[in-house]
Amino acid sequence: MIPPHVLQQISEDKSTTDTLVNVTLLYADIVGFTSWSSNKRPAEIVGMLSQLFTRFDKECLMNNVYKVHTIGDCYVVMSYRHEPNRNYAYECLDVI
């Protein structure tokens, strides 16, 4: 789920910094998660997040966007216009 050129550089043990324009970042945070999870078992919380984030991962692949990372119950997606005629903002929205 990372850009192919980044994967190539990692496999060659190289580091790089890209400059991107027309970038969309989507932070999908679960409203009420702290309250909901306060009376749940850890396995139940992890199971729910795993199912949800697995679905998001599949949607990222289908929409050609990149999962940046997860932070607790927050899922971060990035899209940028590296090909013509892409609607990168809607591609991120289509993940959720």
Side-chain angles (χ1 to χ4, degrees):
M1 284 189 278
I2 63 174
H5 73 281
V6 174
L7 183 59
Q8 179 67 34
Q9 291 166 347
I10 290 171
S11 69
E12 295 173 1
D13 202 26
K14 296 179 182 176
S15 62
T16 186
T17 302
D18 292 334
T19 301
L20 304 173
V21 295
N22 296 324
V23 173
T24 296
L25 287 173
L26 173 91
Y27 292 83
D29 192 59
I30 302 172
V31 174
F33 178 79
T34 302
S35 175
W36 174 83
S37 64
S38 66
N39 62 357
K40 304 292 187 274
R41 294 175 295 125
E44 189 176 358
I45 296 166
V46 170
M48 186 278 292
L49 289 174
S50 178
Q51 285 181 340
L52 180 64
F53 292 165
T54 297
R55 194 176 95 216
F56 285 174
D57 290 346
K58 290 176 184 175
E59 290 293 331
C60 283
L61 292 172
M62 289 174 45
N63 287 285
N64 199 25
V65 298
Y66 304 104
K67 171 185 173 181
V68 177
H69 60 264
T70 57
I71 306 168
D73 65 314
C74 182
Y75 191 93
V76 184
V77 178
M78 179 185 82
S79 181
Y80 64 97
R81 189 174 287 175
H82 60 283
E83 297 170 9
N85 302 320
R86 289 187 61 183
N87 191 329
Y88 50 95
Y90 283 110
E91 291 168 356
C92 279
L93 282 174
D94 286 342
V95 170
I96 58 171

